[in-house]
Amino acid sequence: MRGPWRAALALALHIGFFLAPIALVLGLLAIAALTFRYDQGGGAKAALAAVAVGAICAIGLRAVLRNRVRPRGVQLARTEQPQLWRMAESIAADADAPVPDEIRITSEPNATILEDTALLGLRTRTRYLELGLPLLAALNASELRAVVAHELGRLTGRNRLTVTAYRASASVERTVARLTGGPVKWLFTGYARLFTAIAATTGHELELAAGAIAVREAGTRTAVTALRKAIAIEIGWQEYADDYLSMAKSVGHAPDVLLGFRSFMEHPVRKPQLAERVKQTIAEEADGSRTRPPARKRIEAMKRIKVGNKELDDRPAFAMLRNPRKSVPELEDRLMIEGLKRRLAWPELARLAGAAHVAERAALLSSAAAQSGLPVEPTIVGILPAIHRGQGHDLVNPVLNPGLCPERIDEAAVDTLTELLGCAVVDALICARRAHHELDWGGPSTVRLANGQPLDPDRLVRPAVSDPRLIPGLHRALVDLKVPLTHARRPAAEPEPALAGIVSPVQCADGNYDLLVTDRGLVLLPSSASTTKRLLAGTLARFRKAEQAQLAELAATPVGELREQPGAQWVDSRDVASARLDQDRGGWSLSLELYLDEYAVSELDDVGVRGGEDGMSELALRSTADGVEHGDPYRGLGELMGARMNLDEPAYADE
């Protein structure tokens, strides 16, 4: 069953979701009224039962219906950006679609229509058109029109039932994702599975219809190009954020985000690489998405639509903004994290970020030398003889990931020592004003010597680190480069653990704890949440919001402060010998084997820790039925434990 019939059935089910509890309560009241004529006591009991059922239904519906959509980004007023608004209004009129109530600019690499609805999608309160700043950087004006036409096109269609069913389906899925544990979530999840299964094809139909509207508004070639570019932007934005925007955070200065991303996307090395990755992504995309068909089918459908040629507006998309030289930096400042200092040009930003990075790695090399126990000075001239003596692996062992596979330790030691020593060499040259980092949109920043020649520290250092017999040759090369061999940084301070996620609560011995997973260990904090509060959090929005706020506050607190709280326990990753994760129908259990000798750095009370074999200690944690997660604790746990983690298949897998 397809088309409007499927949408009609989904909506009938959706309306029945609201009518069923009303009919149940009215039926109970009718029974109470009839019973009261013959038996007043029995009628009173029936009326009380009707009131109780009505109260339970009201509480459940209130929890489900209170979920609201919160807009993101910066709102663009109609008077501030009339050209962008005129474009949206023109497209909406041509497509017979509603005009969005707000247009907002976000930092996301995509565009979307976000609808704040009532009655789980049956009525729309507010429509937000969200345009990502990366789109304004990488698209031209015609391609932006195609993207906006596609988004507004999903608000219309040949059959209004399909539009309503799709909106309701999106609202149901969003509600399920936001509900915490408890009876309301358990019951509503079952309904959501049934409803989304019935409304499964509505998303596909609207996506194809939206693609047709994009073609009519911008032309076939432009619409197809915009779709491919949108995929490239999502891929490129992640790399741009990791490799370039991270520079801003490391040096505390704001960059020109939009202009930088445009340079990144248009670089002659990046552009063909991204085009090839887009082709591969489209070719490998699965067919099983419920909300939209794969990109290749959407492209095929758009190519089959015959429309006249459209005039191409090849201006950058940000030209649609009024006075972009002023408005773009203002938008960037409002979207970026607070606390950044004055704006710097990208070349200067890359220079400062490169210097900060090598200084940090040089300090880590000094820290490794200090912790290794070797009689080694943390200077370059002190490190080289240690490597020559074959002590390189012992030198960097303190900073290696303790979760590495044994087979990878030698390779990791060479890679780590190569990186740290290479950074120390570059740091020495920068401090002597004999080198600097030069921005390269095609890859990592280049180290440029004072004479203009590039320097590859990996190529310079790696042969000697891999074969210590070549250390004398490396020493001569460093002297020729006029590297200050006595250069050294003070040992780096112990880094603050970064939180990956929280599981609240878990059982340890006879108590409940909040488990915080970081990149350096586990924090256990005594939990004050009772089972009653957890159940109420799954039923009443007020308790749910309070619980989420509490977890968010916990996540925002520095890990060092949390470790100082009364009753807090700290399991340092360096003290973990092995970990075992068992899964069954009731949840999971985690057993940790720990080295708790005089060299241990963990901070654990005797509670929950028991002696094991071979002098090892064991700590056991168990999930709870009403536990909730914040962040991504399980991915963090896997990365923290690495090869030390043993995973058991669920006990019921063979049943």
Side-chain angles (χ1 to χ4, degrees):
M1 182 172 56
R2 300 179 61 84
W5 292 107
R6 192 177 191 111
L9 179 60
L11 289 176
L13 175 66
H14 203 47
I15 294 172
F17 172 79
F18 295 100
L19 294 180
I22 296 174
L24 176 61
V25 174
L26 291 178
L28 290 174
L29 289 174
I31 292 173
L34 291 174
T35 305
F36 192 79
R37 293 183 179 181
Y38 308 102
D39 182 2
Q40 293 185 354
K45 292 178 181 178
L48 184 61
V51 172
V53 170
I56 293 172
C57 291
I59 291 173
L61 286 174
R62 186 172 182 269
V64 168
L65 297 177
R66 281 179 62 89
N67 283 297
R68 298 290 301 270
V69 167
R70 302 299 178 189
R72 301 169 295 181
V74 179
Q75 181 179 354
L76 299 182
R78 196 182 303 263
T79 55
E80 293 176 352
Q81 301 297 340
Q83 191 174 357
L84 203 58
W85 270 98
R86 282 197 298 268
M87 180 184 69
E89 290 168 346
S90 170
I91 294 172
D94 293 344
D96 191 23
V99 177
D101 299 291
E102 293 184 14
I103 297 179
R104 306 183 74 90
I105 297 295
T106 72
S107 58
E108 300 297 320
N110 51 42
T112 187
I113 278 285
L114 204 59
E115 294 183 284
D116 182 24
T117 61
L119 298 177
L120 292 176
L122 292 179
R123 185 173 68 85
T124 301
R125 293 191 182 99
T126 311
R127 294 183 179 90
Y128 306 98
L129 172 60
E130 296 184 346
L131 299 176
L133 194 66
L135 296 178
L136 299 181
L139 298 179
N140 62 37
S142 289
E143 291 162 350
L144 179 64
R145 185 177 185 88
V147 169
V148 173
H150 174 269
E151 294 306 315
L152 294 181
R154 290 196 288 114
L155 298 178
T156 186
R158 289 172 296 179
N159 192 292
R160 297 293 183 181
L161 290 178
T162 303
V163 178
T164 306
Y166 177 74
R167 185 169 61 238
S169 179
S171 180
V172 166
E173 290 183 344
R174 191 163 53 240
T175 301
V176 169
R178 293 182 179 181
L179 287 173
T180 58
V184 173
K185 183 177 178 68
W186 304 333
L187 294 172
F188 190 73
T189 299
Y191 167 75
R193 289 174 180 168
L194 176 60
F195 179 80
T196 53
I198 295 175
T201 61
T202 56
H204 287 228
E205 295 172 18
L206 287 182
E207 281 294 329
L208 296 177
I213 292 174
V215 169
R216 291 204 306 268
E217 289 293 325
T220 303
R221 183 181 181 87
T222 301
V224 171
T225 302
L227 175 55
R228 290 193 173 119
K229 272 193 175 182
I231 299 173
I233 288 169
E234 289 201 27
I235 297 172
W237 180 255
Q238 186 61 54
E239 294 183 6
Y240 176 70
D242 292 341
D243 298 339
Y244 294 92
L245 291 184
S246 58
M247 295 181 186
K249 187 176 180 181
S250 66
V251 299
H253 284 275
D256 293 318
V257 180
L258 187 145
L259 294 178
F261 187 57
R262 187 170 182 83
S263 299
F264 174 91
M265 295 292 291
E266 294 296 328
H267 192 274
V269 173
R270 297 276 188 188
K271 197 169 183 178
Q273 291 177 348
L274 284 171
E276 191 61 34
R277 291 179 65 183
V278 169
K279 290 180 182 178
Q280 184 179 357
T281 300
I282 292 175
E284 295 177 353
E285 188 177 3
D287 297 331
S289 173
R290 191 198 63 79
T291 57
R292 64 174 57 187
R296 61 180 178 275
K297 290 187 178 180
R298 295 163 59 194
I299 291 173
E300 291 170 0
M302 285 190 286
K303 287 182 176 180
R304 289 195 296 266
I305 301 173
K306 303 300 181 182
V307 298
N309 293 330
K310 298 288 184 178
E311 184 179 352
L312 178 65
D313 186 350
D314 59 357
R315 294 178 300 161
F318 59 78
M320 300 293 292
L321 300 175
R322 173 186 284 176
N323 192 6
R325 290 191 176 183
K326 178 183 178 182
S327 59
V328 168
E330 290 177 351
L331 287 172
E332 291 177 350
D333 289 342
R334 294 173 67 182
L335 288 171
M336 282 189 294
I337 58 176
E338 297 180 359
L340 295 181
K341 302 175 186 175
R342 63 182 175 85
R343 187 178 297 265
L344 288 180
W346 275 107
E348 181 63 19
L349 196 67
R351 185 190 297 255
L352 293 178
H357 173 71
V358 295
E360 176 188 340
R361 306 308 284 174
L364 186 60
L365 179 61
S366 298
S367 179
Q371 296 176 33
S372 67
L374 299 173
V376 176
E377 288 292 327
T379 60
I380 297 174
V381 74
I383 296 293
L384 293 180
I387 300 175
H388 196 212
R389 293 192 298 267
Q391 297 175 323
H393 288 201
D394 296 331
L395 185 66
V396 296
N397 186 63
V399 296
L400 292 181
N401 183 350
L404 282 171
C405 297
E407 299 81 10
R408 290 196 54 204
I409 290 179
D410 290 343
E411 177 186 355
V414 170
D415 291 342
T416 303
L417 185 55
T418 298
E419 181 200 4
L420 298 184
L421 181 58
C423 287
V425 169
V426 175
D427 184 45
L429 288 169
I430 289 175
C431 291
R433 300 183 182 277
R434 296 189 179 124
H436 66 273
H437 286 83
E438 186 177 90
L439 178 67
D440 184 359
W441 290 115
S445 296
T446 302
V447 178
R448 188 74 62 181
L449 296 174
N451 60 9
Q453 294 297 314
L455 174 67
D456 186 345
D458 186 273
R459 186 177 179 182
L460 174 68
V461 169
R462 185 175 291 276
V465 173
S466 302
D467 184 357
R469 294 174 297 180
L470 302 179
I471 286 293
L474 174 60
H475 184 274
R476 288 193 297 272
L478 297 179
V479 171
D480 292 341
L481 289 171
K482 298 181 181 180
V483 177
L485 298 181
T486 57
H487 175 78
R489 289 279 180 180
R490 295 180 61 182
E494 189 80 8
E496 176 75 11
L499 184 69
I502 304 173
V503 183
S504 174
V506 299
Q507 292 180 341
C508 179
D510 295 329
N512 285 346
Y513 291 82
D514 293 331
L515 172 64
L516 287 80
V517 182
T518 77
D519 62 342
R520 301 187 64 81
L522 306 177
V523 181
L524 291 168
L525 295 176
S527 177
S528 59
S530 64
T531 302
T532 302
K533 286 185 178 180
R534 297 284 176 186
L535 292 174
L536 288 174
T539 305
L540 298 177
R542 181 168 60 86
F543 284 93
R544 180 171 67 253
K545 289 181 179 179
E547 180 185 50
Q548 292 172 346
Q550 184 178 4
L551 290 180
E553 182 180 356
L554 200 62
T557 306
V559 175
E561 293 183 16
L562 297 176
R563 290 174 56 181
E564 298 298 325
Q565 292 187 7
Q569 314 287 314
W570 168 252
V571 181
D572 197 284
S573 175
R574 292 167 290 186
D575 294 335
V576 178
S578 65
R580 180 186 180 91
L581 185 65
D582 297 307
Q583 303 176 69
D584 52 38
R585 290 188 184 277
W588 54 263
S589 60
L590 177 66
S591 298
L592 303 174
E593 283 194 329
L594 306 173
Y595 300 109
L596 295 183
D597 51 22
E598 64 270 22
Y599 302 106
V601 288
S602 296
E603 300 169 359
L604 286 166
D605 298 335
D606 294 335
V607 178
V609 179
R610 59 178 184 271
E613 299 178 359
D614 302 326
M616 304 290 292
S617 298
E618 184 177 349
L619 177 67
L621 306 175
R622 175 75 184 177
S623 66
T624 59
D626 55 349
V628 294
E629 293 91 36
H630 179 91
D632 197 349
Y634 300 115
R635 177 192 57 80
L637 187 63
E639 293 178 354
L640 178 68
M641 297 303 169
R644 296 170 294 180
M645 177 77 82
N646 296 314
L647 294 173
D648 269 11
E649 293 295 327
Y652 52 87
D654 299 328
E655 292 180 8

